[in-house]
Amino acid sequence: MTTTPLAQQPPLSARRRWTVLAVCALSMFLVGLDTTIVNVGLPEIGRGLGVSTRGLEWVVDSYTVVLAALLIASGALADRFGRRRVFRTGLAVFGAASLACAAAPSLGFLVAARAVQGVGASMLSPVALAIVVNAMPDPRERARAIGVWASVFGLSMAAGPVTGGALIEALGWRSVFWVNAPVVAAALVLVALFVPESHGQRARRLDLPGQVLLTAALCAAVGVLIEGPRIGWASPWAVAGYAAVAASTAAFVRVELRRPEPLMDLGLFRRPRFTAAVLGAVAVFVALNVSLLLTTLHLQHTRGWTPLEAGAATLPMALGATVCAPWSGSLVARRGPRRPLVLAGAFTAAGGLCMAYPGTDTSVPLLLLAHLLIGIGFGFANAPLTNTAVGGLPPSRAGVAGAVTSTARQVGAAVGVAVAGGLVTGAGPGGLAHASRPGWLLVAACGAFLLVVARASGEAAGQGGRGVYARASTSVNADKEPRWTPGTSTGSTPSSKRG
């Protein structure tokens, strides 16, 4: 490892510190919004570009797969070259890619532009919180800031479908991308004015072989899930895809075990609690994205609802997530991760079962109840999953653990969209309800799996996480790890020592 000396900077005023938080939260709002805002617009995008549901899955997953693959590397880049510099680069890339998405003449162009958007988002997601942590040395103030951060990000994820529906209704599907441009422009100006530069104390070397292999494995796996229903699960192309997934995964493991500074610390997976937390993070985002996509397609294709009406149907989900995320963080701080994980699993499973037998005449109150239950489960899940993943680890490994959990969430988002799209591929409006039934059962199964994770978390993990970390852990998404982030994983002094 190389050591980067830190220049002594005068402490920021309270107003400046909270301005830094506001600027970074604004940027992260965009990242969360663009994860879900496109879902409600997929039918309109398909009609505008003349493509099927199968092709539209790539519009969402090209963004999430690239974001997942580059999260850890972007944090290392920020430690080495400066967080503000990487953050501004990410904003510029994200904004330029948004304009390209808005002007896309074809599906292929749109998918490529969305992938570039994911590159920009990966430079925002882990780096922004590292900037906030660096700006707020007082642990109590930092905990409050992370509570605000968590609520903003959770609101952006849940508000995406509603915002997208309103924009599409008023201005057409391209507006969901145009709207990013003025926000990015304002953020660039605010970052230049208010955000100080900072570096990690120990900058990690970039693991290019590991990065390439991780990206290849994720792209191949999601590609097989999306294209499998069209090409046939036993076709030569599908078999080649399976082989590519297996080969790239095996090569990634081999490379990471041999590198002195690997992209991903695979030794963490020897800890059952960590492995359970990572799989739980995947399950939560599979459930969320399956729910959003199946609802969008069902309401717009089967019932003929407008994008705005379909987006408004997810408001109970947004409400449940926004209210329960801070509550979950305080429960983790007081009682450990087990209880909120049990609540997350129970509510998610109940929401999936509410829609397990959907029909064209499924009542709207039942649909809204299902979304409320799933939103509550989503709100309760993320803080205890973060706590379980990093609980009991030293700072040098806790950041990497948080980064892996962040990546797992984005992988879950990509898998959820791919699975939901595959289930309804080829189904007409009259058959969508029946075709989506396995998807809602999958949502219920994800909730049931969270109960297994709750058992694995154990009270010992809860005891290990009730200190300063737990008080700060009101996170709704692991892209916002409270004390040790991908941008500070092995690069920044733990915040308790800095404060």
Side-chain angles (χ1 to χ4, degrees):
M1 292 187 181
T2 59
T3 301
T4 305
L6 289 177
Q8 291 294 329
Q9 296 180 348
L12 303 177
S13 66
R15 175 178 293 184
R16 178 82 178 270
R17 291 195 298 271
W18 286 91
T19 301
V20 169
L21 171 65
V23 173
C24 291
L26 173 66
S27 305
M28 277 305 300
F29 188 89
L30 282 180
V31 175
L33 198 70
D34 268 73
T35 303
T36 57
I37 194 173
V38 177
N39 285 349
V40 75
L42 289 179
E44 286 295 320
I45 293 173
R47 282 188 283 270
L49 297 178
V51 294
S52 65
T53 301
R54 178 191 57 78
L56 291 173
E57 294 164 69
W58 284 112
V59 176
V60 179
D61 275 355
S62 58
Y63 175 83
T64 53
V65 167
V66 172
L67 174 56
L70 297 180
L71 275 172
I72 303 174
S74 292
L77 283 172
D79 278 350
R80 180 177 292 273
F81 297 110
R83 292 167 185 149
R84 186 176 72 166
R85 179 182 297 176
V86 171
F87 190 65
R88 292 173 69 179
T89 302
L91 280 170
V93 171
F94 187 89
S98 296
L99 295 177
C101 289
S106 65
L107 177 65
F109 189 97
L110 178 58
V111 169
R114 283 283 285 171
V116 178
Q117 243 191 341
V119 174
S122 75
M123 298 183 205
L124 305 179
S125 203
V127 179
L129 186 61
I131 292 172
V132 172
V133 169
N134 184 76
M136 296 190 173
D138 179 68
R140 293 190 178 185
E141 185 180 46
R142 186 187 309 122
R144 291 196 301 271
I146 290 165
V148 173
W149 176 281
S151 298
V152 168
F153 193 90
L155 181 61
S156 72
M157 290 280 292
V162 182
T163 306
L167 286 170
I168 292 166
E169 188 85 359
L171 302 170
W173 68 265
R174 296 181 189 273
S175 63
V176 302
F177 302 112
W178 286 121
V179 74
N180 291 335
V183 181
V184 168
L188 282 169
V189 173
L190 292 171
V191 169
L193 292 175
F194 298 109
V195 175
E197 183 60 281
S198 62
H199 296 74
Q201 281 189 328
R202 302 176 69 194
R204 289 182 295 141
R205 296 173 184 170
L206 295 180
D207 178 10
L208 291 179
Q211 183 62 74
V212 170
L213 290 169
L214 176 62
T215 304
L218 290 177
C219 290
V222 172
V224 168
L225 287 173
I226 291 176
E227 301 294 339
R230 180 181 66 87
I231 63 177
W233 296 107
S235 68
W237 281 110
V239 173
Y242 306 147
V245 173
S248 55
T249 302
F252 175 74
V253 172
R254 183 180 179 86
V255 166
E256 296 302 280
L257 290 175
R258 294 187 173 192
R259 290 188 70 86
E261 295 181 34
L263 179 74
M264 189 178 295
D265 183 0
L266 299 182
L268 291 168
F269 288 94
R270 296 192 184 100
R271 301 178 69 248
R273 291 193 191 100
F274 175 80
T275 302
V278 169
L279 294 177
V282 173
V284 167
F285 273 71
V286 166
L288 176 69
N289 284 272
V290 166
S291 302
L292 288 175
L293 187 55
L294 291 182
T295 298
T296 292
L297 297 176
H298 171 72
L299 293 180
Q300 293 189 56
H301 284 320
T302 301
R303 298 199 174 196
W305 286 25
T306 66
L308 177 59
E309 291 168 336
T314 66
L315 276 173
M317 183 182 292
L319 176 64
T322 303
V323 170
C324 294
W327 187 9
S328 175
S330 38
L331 275 177
V332 172
R334 294 197 314 268
R335 300 180 179 273
R338 175 174 287 183
R339 184 168 297 184
L341 278 173
V342 169
L343 291 171
F347 279 108
T348 302
L353 291 175
C354 281
M355 295 296 294
Y357 297 95
T360 55
D361 57 347
T362 301
S363 68
V364 172
L366 181 63
L367 179 71
L368 298 179
L369 174 62
H371 284 148
L372 176 63
L373 295 173
I374 293 169
I376 292 173
F378 179 69
F380 272 121
N382 288 285
L385 286 173
T386 298
N387 181 276
T388 301
V390 305
L393 289 174
S396 61
R397 301 186 84 195
V400 178
V404 174
T405 312
S406 299
T407 300
R409 283 172 163 85
Q410 298 302 328
V411 170
V415 169
V417 170
V419 169
L423 288 173
V424 299
T425 294
L432 268 176
H434 178 75
S436 65
R437 183 176 302 169
W440 290 109
L441 291 174
L442 174 61
V443 172
C446 289
F449 181 73
L450 288 178
L451 300 178
V452 177
V453 178
R455 182 178 179 84
S457 69
E459 288 305 317
Q463 295 287 347
R466 293 183 193 176
V468 175
Y469 174 83
R471 289 194 297 273
S473 184
T474 53
S475 170
V476 222
N477 186 288
D479 297 341
K480 316 169 295 303
E481 297 308 329
R483 293 185 58 209
W484 303 300
T485 70
T488 58
S489 57
T490 57
S492 291
T493 304
S495 54
S496 59
K497 295 181 181 179
R498 284 198 306 267

